Amino acid sequence: QVQLVESGGGLVQAGGSLRLSCAASGRTFNGYAMGWFRQAPGKEREFVASVTWTLGRTFYADSVKGRFTISRDNTKNTVYLQMNSLKPDDTAVYYCAVGLVKTAAIPQRIEEYDYWGQGTQVTVSS
């Protein structure tokens, strides 16, 4: 049973930084990708960033490129999302997810991910 536990959310002022963590357990993740998604009130869940477990290839949504960095620590089975220069528009519940890499492209669609964490709230005040 795959389990994903997010942490690190909170309240921060615009321009500030937060680092989210996602501890994964329940299987080996070679051949999988770990993704971060977010969902703001009244909006659909959207892709933020993803990283492949084996090679560490990364992919970002345009809205966070240059501000957010996704990384993974294979020894700790943990994925991180470093968020800098935060904006009020970044306010959302952030979810980590695990999905099998089936093609050459790094998964970025919700349906490509099979396991999800419970989410952690990030609030950016103006």
Side-chain angles (χ1 to χ4, degrees):
Q1 178 84 10
V2 173
Q3 286 192 317
L4 304 173
V5 180
E6 301 102 332
S7 61
L11 173 64
V12 65
Q13 288 188 330
S17 299
L18 281 175
R19 188 176 81 154
L20 305 182
S21 300
C22 175
S25 62
R27 64 161 299 125
T28 57
F29 295 102
N30 291 333
Y32 282 76
M34 312 292 285
W36 285 98
F37 291 76
R38 65 186 182 186
Q39 188 166 17
K43 295 187 177 180
E44 294 186 351
R45 192 169 299 189
E46 65 176 5
F47 171 79
V48 175
S50 60
V51 60
T52 60
W53 196 255
T54 305
L55 296 179
R57 296 165 57 213
T58 58
F59 188 76
Y60 296 91
D62 287 343
S63 59
V64 306
K65 203 173 292 184
R67 299 189 298 123
F68 291 11
T69 302
I70 189 171
S71 62
R72 88 266 189 254
D73 185 334
N74 294 32
T75 64
K76 297 181 179 179
N77 266 17
T78 300
V79 177
Y80 303 98
L81 186 67
Q82 178 66 44
M83 306 185 294
N84 299 328
S85 302
L86 282 162
K87 306 174 183 179
D89 284 350
D90 295 318
T91 295
V93 177
Y94 283 70
Y95 299 89
C96 71
V98 175
L100 185 64
V101 180
K102 299 177 182 178
T103 70
I106 301 174
Q108 57 179 297
R109 293 178 295 140
I110 290 174
E111 55 267 32
E112 295 179 290
Y113 288 83
D114 302 308
Y115 304 99
W116 293 81
Q118 82 288 350
T120 185
Q121 176 70 46
V122 171
T123 303
V124 185
S125 63
S126 56

